[in-house]
Amino acid sequence: MPSQSTINIFEPAVLIDPYDAYRELRGGPALHYVPEMNVHVATRYEVIREIIRDTKTFSSEYAAFFDRLRAAGIASASPAVRSELEHLEKQIIPPVPTMLTLDEPGHTRYRSLVSALFTAKETRKSEAAVRAVVDETIVSLGNRDSVEFVESFAAPIPLKVIGQRLGIPEDDVPLFNRGATAAASGLRLTPLTGDQMIERAKTAVDLQGLLVRLIEERRSTPTEDMISILANSKLEDENRYLEHGETLSILGQFLVAGHETTTSAFGWAMLLLCKNPEIEDQIASNPKLLDTFVEEALRLEAPVQGLPRLVTKDTQIEDYALKAGDIVFLRYGSANRDERKFDDADSCDLHRKKAGAHFAFGGGVHACIGAPLSRQELTLGWSALLQHGKNFRLSEGRPEPEAEMSFILRNLPALHIDFELR
């Protein structure tokens, strides 16, 4: 029998604040079985690295696992809501497994179509455009010295940057923003009313309609953006253009990875700064420490807390046995605080060596393709923030900030702060 613990890391309270549970589980066997979810959880850094590297035994083709979770969520709705959701789903072009939920060689087959947009060279070329978005957002803060940080800064920057990268026309930006936000919200566990479920589904239909229209327009009249590249790319081995389901799958992954994770990283970094004011002083005395601050914030609060893998054959990790068909859930958020890998792992150390050796962007062949762009947004954003204000602190009289429940993401929905203008 697999090893079990009284800890269920998928309980709401643990999802909101998982780090004590992670610490306890890291002290046990290589993996931990959660019968409520029928998954095996990996929490140690070296175990997760081993699994990531063995892509033949631990497959990324786990889409069926999320399909079951989604079906369970729909089943909990009333008959009238289920009927409306089924009607809306018929209007959706089913996504095709492409990058995130596909193994080699298929994964690289799709990833290579857009990888050139996210090289270090291309990221450097985009710096002026990202800086302009950051500066525009700073200006929008005006002379306010008290803001809700997520809504006013953390969310607008990544949304605008990914919208520009995709090539979303100005008139379509409001719909795009709603759709991108709704796409990410589908990975959370916050209970929704029937009306909210229907509204989210309608937004998904509208967003897909927008993207299909743009794909078809850019195929005949391409511009310099990601939608144009995908609309006019061919799979060489089949000598054909991508089908809409394939293109929409790739774009859908960028909608979440391109804004939600960076938004979360901004928010958690601000909370870290507010609770540790000495960080601000250290960066002020040595601006080169800003890069390490960004990496430490990513490590301590990984925007993607974990992803599953499908076991393809009977195997074992250390003395823990797994069978073909099992699901292993990798908890990157735990690995990033593994005391075996990182000294004083729960603390922000601006002098940490190899600060980027974390799993905030995953790892291996499925490491986040947009990581260089996200790091650029975070670094430029924080540089501008620290020039704009000082003495950042939590607003008094507000509830303690906490994460929103999610198996996958670690999202900070709101963060009220005060500061002094420079």
Side-chain angles (χ1 to χ4, degrees), residues 226-387:
M226 189 187 299
I227 291 179
S228 292
I229 289 173
L230 290 172
N232 292 281
S233 292
K234 286 188 174 182
L235 294 175
E236 294 183 359
D237 56 336
E238 297 183 26
N239 191 31
R240 65 168 178 84
Y241 291 112
L242 296 181
E243 297 174 356
H244 285 338
E246 294 169 306
T247 305
L248 291 168
S249 173
I250 295 172
L251 292 175
Q253 291 172 56
F254 278 107
L255 290 187
V256 178
H259 91 279
E260 176 71 14
T261 54
T262 306
T263 294
S264 298
F266 267 128
W268 289 113
M270 176 56 80
L271 182 59
L272 179 66
L273 185 73
C274 288
K275 291 189 171 184
N276 299 273
E278 70 279 3
I279 292 174
E280 191 175 324
D281 296 333
Q282 292 180 59
I283 294 175
S285 63
N286 183 1
K288 292 182 179 180
L289 296 178
L290 179 60
D291 288 345
T292 308
F293 169 63
V294 168
E295 296 299 336
E296 282 287 86
L298 287 165
R299 181 183 67 81
L300 288 166
E301 294 285 2
V304 176
Q305 282 286 294
L307 287 171
R309 292 293 188 270
L310 174 66
V311 180
T312 62
K313 62 183 180 181
D314 291 359
T315 188
Q316 68 179 51
I317 296 179
E318 295 179 3
D319 58 353
Y320 191 102
L322 292 164
K323 295 181 179 180
D326 283 347
I327 292 289
V328 174
F329 226 114
L330 312 181
R331 301 312 288 177
Y332 300 138
S334 174
N336 287 351
R337 294 187 182 219
D338 190 339
E339 48 284 326
R340 299 170 182 81
K341 176 67 177 179
F342 302 101
D343 294 334
D344 199 11
D346 291 327
S347 298
C348 177
D349 180 359
L350 298 188
H351 299 280
R352 189 179 300 279
K353 303 298 183 183
K354 297 182 179 179
H358 52 69
F359 290 125
F361 294 110
V365 297
H366 284 87
C368 178
I369 193 173
L373 179 60
S374 180
R375 285 186 165 103
Q376 183 181 68
E377 293 176 45
L378 291 166
T379 302
L380 293 176
W382 272 104
S383 178
L385 274 170
L386 294 174
Q387 292 175 46

Side-chain angles (χ1 to χ4, degrees), residues 45 62 409:
Y45 188 97
Y62 50 76
L409 305 177

Side-chain angles (χ1 to χ4, degrees), residues 70 219 367:
R70 182 173 173 275
R219 185 160 287 172

Side-chain angles (χ1 to χ4, degrees), residues 17 26 86-87 89 101 113 115 122 172 190 237 330 341 358-359 388-389 418:
D17 186 7
R26 286 196 302 270
E86 290 168 2
H87 170 71
E89 189 166 352
T101 56
L113 299 178
S115 60
E122 286 299 316
D172 296 312
T190 303
D237 56 336
L330 312 181
K341 176 67 177 179
H358 52 69
F359 290 125
H388 178 73
D418 298 332

Side-chain angles (χ1 to χ4, degrees), residues 201-218:
K202 287 180 177 177
T203 300
V205 171
D206 292 342
L207 175 64
Q208 191 174 96
L210 166 63
L211 295 176
V212 168
R213 171 171 63 81
L214 293 176
I215 291 166
E216 293 175 350
E217 288 177 359
R218 302 291 164 75

